[in-house]
Amino acid sequence: MTLTILNRYFWKEISFNIMLVLLGLLAMFSFFDLLQELDSLGRGHYGINSMLVYVGLSIPGHIYEVAPVAVLLGIVYTLGAMASSSELIVMRTSGISLQTIAKMLLSIGLVFALVTFLIGEIIAPISEKMAQRIRIQATDSVVAQDFQSGLWIKDGSSFVNVGTVVPDTSLVDIRIYDFDAQFRLRNVSHADKGSFEDDHWVLSNVTQTSMHTSKAAQHNSVTSQFFKQTKWESLIRPELLNVLLVLPEKMSAWNLYSFIQYLDQNGQRTTRYQVALWSKLVYPLACLVMVILALPFGFLQQRAGGISAKIFAGIFLGVVYQIMNRVFVHLGVLNDWSPLISAISPTVLFLAAGLGMLYYVERR
């Protein structure tokens, strides 16, 4: 009965403080987003309403990013306040072990880990895609391309050049260069526009030029045909083009997996997207690691610092964790490390640090 009451007490206090910290962090990030978007205000049809909608749709992505830090700071603050009022000392002298308290806090961390995963997998990718589309449409822009000539994509034995990818993932000014097994050019097709319908692309105003090669070079011929509308079977899918709107780190795990499969089929490098995929799967577990990391702060001697010092230490650790995550991702891509190692290393290091601090607190 006592443990049930204590568990409810922890849930109430810690959840409230985590949500309070989360709101504060979201307010700060949203304010920075507003400042950044002021430069684009007035461009095209991008007004105050569009800017506010864009910032609002960016909030789920920020929740995903700062959730582990909010868990860390919320628990550090709660345990620091309990330590200041001697509540933790009373709990320990009442026979409640550090392991019991850890289990209670881990159950809270597990819930926030699941919420973080769901937001990162379902809500944030959709809201981020909508935010980018609204911004691009309002500013009369197009999706950024890799080269001045447009976007180049390898599609099986063909190379596809797309002049413009508009926000609804339809294609404008499409050129398809089809090669045979000996890498000889067979067909060149040009279409004004392409849209995805019923599991295939529909191209409009298509001019197809075909090269017919005989064994005798003098009998080579070129023919040209025009089609008002034609089907185009391709490995390219609209969801794969979302990578142009949303950074890999903000895509859903399923879309990342699909894009990796597509790149594999076309013999292209997938390291960056594999690292992003593993990061998506590992990152929610950081909420549990932050629980382990925050727990020792409640049992440090008061002379080691009050609540303010502990909060500062929590902020410092949260910032270091975010920096290490980004650094390991970039190092993994540059040095072609194992994607799993690149994604999981910061979390494992912080877990080891948290367990080491817990061992010190328990043994001192």
Side-chain angles (χ1 to χ4, degrees):
M1 184 64 179
T2 302
L3 290 178
T4 302
I5 295 173
L6 184 60
N7 193 33
R8 290 176 182 173
Y9 179 63
F10 272 125
W11 265 98
K12 178 184 175 183
E13 294 296 320
I14 291 177
S15 298
F16 176 78
N17 287 324
I18 290 175
M19 295 304 296
L20 200 61
V21 171
L22 187 60
L23 288 174
L25 292 173
L26 289 178
M28 181 180 67
F29 277 99
S30 296
F31 177 70
F32 290 150
D33 284 345
L34 281 172
L35 290 180
Q36 185 176 355
E37 290 305 307
L38 287 176
D39 291 337
S40 301
L41 196 62
R43 185 187 302 171
H45 305 289
Y46 195 60
I48 294 291
N49 291 337
S50 299
M51 183 176 68
L52 292 177
V53 170
Y54 173 80
V55 172
L57 289 172
S58 300
I59 288 177
H62 291 318
I63 293 176
Y64 177 78
E65 292 172 351
V66 304
V69 179
V71 170
L72 174 64
L73 295 179
I75 295 179
V76 166
Y77 177 80
T78 304
L79 295 182
M82 289 181 177
S84 299
S85 59
S86 302
E87 291 179 72
L88 291 178
I89 296 175
V90 172
M91 293 177 194
R92 296 298 300 275
T93 55
S94 300
I96 298 174
S97 66
L98 184 61
Q99 288 78 10
T100 301
I101 295 174
K103 289 179 182 178
M104 294 179 183
L105 298 186
L106 283 171
S107 66
I108 300 173
L110 180 61
V111 171
F112 278 94
L114 291 174
V115 171
T116 301
F117 176 78
L118 291 176
I119 291 175
E121 184 64 18
I122 300 174
I123 301 175
I126 296 174
S127 66
E128 185 70 22
K129 184 168 62 177
M130 291 174 61
Q132 295 300 329
R133 284 181 176 175
I134 287 173
R135 190 181 188 281
I136 290 170
Q137 288 173 340
T139 55
D140 295 331
S141 303
V142 297
V143 180
Q145 307 298 352
D146 291 341
F147 301 99
Q148 188 174 359
S149 58
L151 176 69
W152 286 89
I153 308 171
K154 187 175 184 296
D155 181 34
S157 61
S158 303
F159 287 88
V160 182
N161 173 226
V162 180
T164 303
V165 181
V166 296
D168 63 357
T169 64
S170 60
L171 312 177
V172 177
D173 191 17
I174 310 156
R175 288 178 173 83
I176 305 169
Y177 301 88
D178 186 29
F179 293 82
D180 61 18
Q182 285 73 42
F183 301 103
R184 291 177 299 198
L185 186 62
R186 294 189 304 184
N187 301 301
V188 178
S189 301
H190 176 266
D192 290 342
K193 189 175 181 180
S195 57
F196 197 78
E197 300 176 10
D198 299 327
D199 205 39
H200 63 268
W201 290 94
V202 176
L203 304 181
S204 304
N205 298 327
V206 182
T207 302
Q208 185 180 79
T209 303
S210 301
M211 274 64 73
H212 306 282
T213 305
S214 64
K215 292 183 180 180
Q218 61 270 26
H219 295 111
N220 291 352
S221 62
V222 177
T223 60
S224 183
Q225 293 177 289
F226 177 80
F227 305 94
K228 187 66 177 176
Q229 196 172 78
T230 185
K231 290 183 180 180
W232 175 38
E233 300 293 340
S234 170
L235 295 173
I236 303 169
R237 293 290 184 270
E239 56 268 21
L240 299 180
L241 297 174
N242 287 334
V243 71
L244 301 174
L245 292 170
V246 182
L247 292 172
E249 291 75 18
K250 295 186 177 181
M251 294 170 64
S252 68
W254 175 250
N255 281 343
L256 279 170
Y257 176 77
S258 300
F259 193 69
I260 290 169
Q261 295 295 107
Y262 166 77
L263 293 177
D264 274 335
Q265 292 176 14
N266 286 277
Q268 299 182 53
R269 190 176 178 183
T270 62
T271 305
R272 183 188 179 191
Y273 302 98
Q274 287 184 353
V275 172
L277 174 60
W278 281 110
S279 296
K280 291 287 293 187
L281 299 176
V282 171
Y283 189 73
L285 298 178
C287 292
L288 296 174
V289 174
M290 293 304 170
V291 172
I292 300 297
L293 196 62
L295 188 54
F297 283 91
F299 297 94
L300 294 175
Q301 294 284 351
Q302 285 300 308
R303 63 175 178 268
I307 297 179
S308 300
K310 293 173 181 177
I311 288 293
F312 177 79
I315 294 174
F316 176 76
L317 289 172
V319 171
V320 169
Y321 178 76
Q322 294 290 348
I323 292 175
M324 285 185 64
N325 256 331
R326 296 182 183 276
V327 167
F328 270 83
V329 166
H330 290 297
L331 287 177
V333 173
L334 289 174
N335 298 307
D336 206 22
W337 292 348
S338 166
L340 177 58
I341 298 298
S342 302
I344 205 172
S345 292
T347 303
V348 170
L349 290 174
F350 270 68
L351 176 61
L355 292 174
M357 292 171 64
L358 276 178
Y359 179 81
Y360 168 77
V361 168
E362 185 71 4
R363 294 296 179 181
R364 67 183 174 84

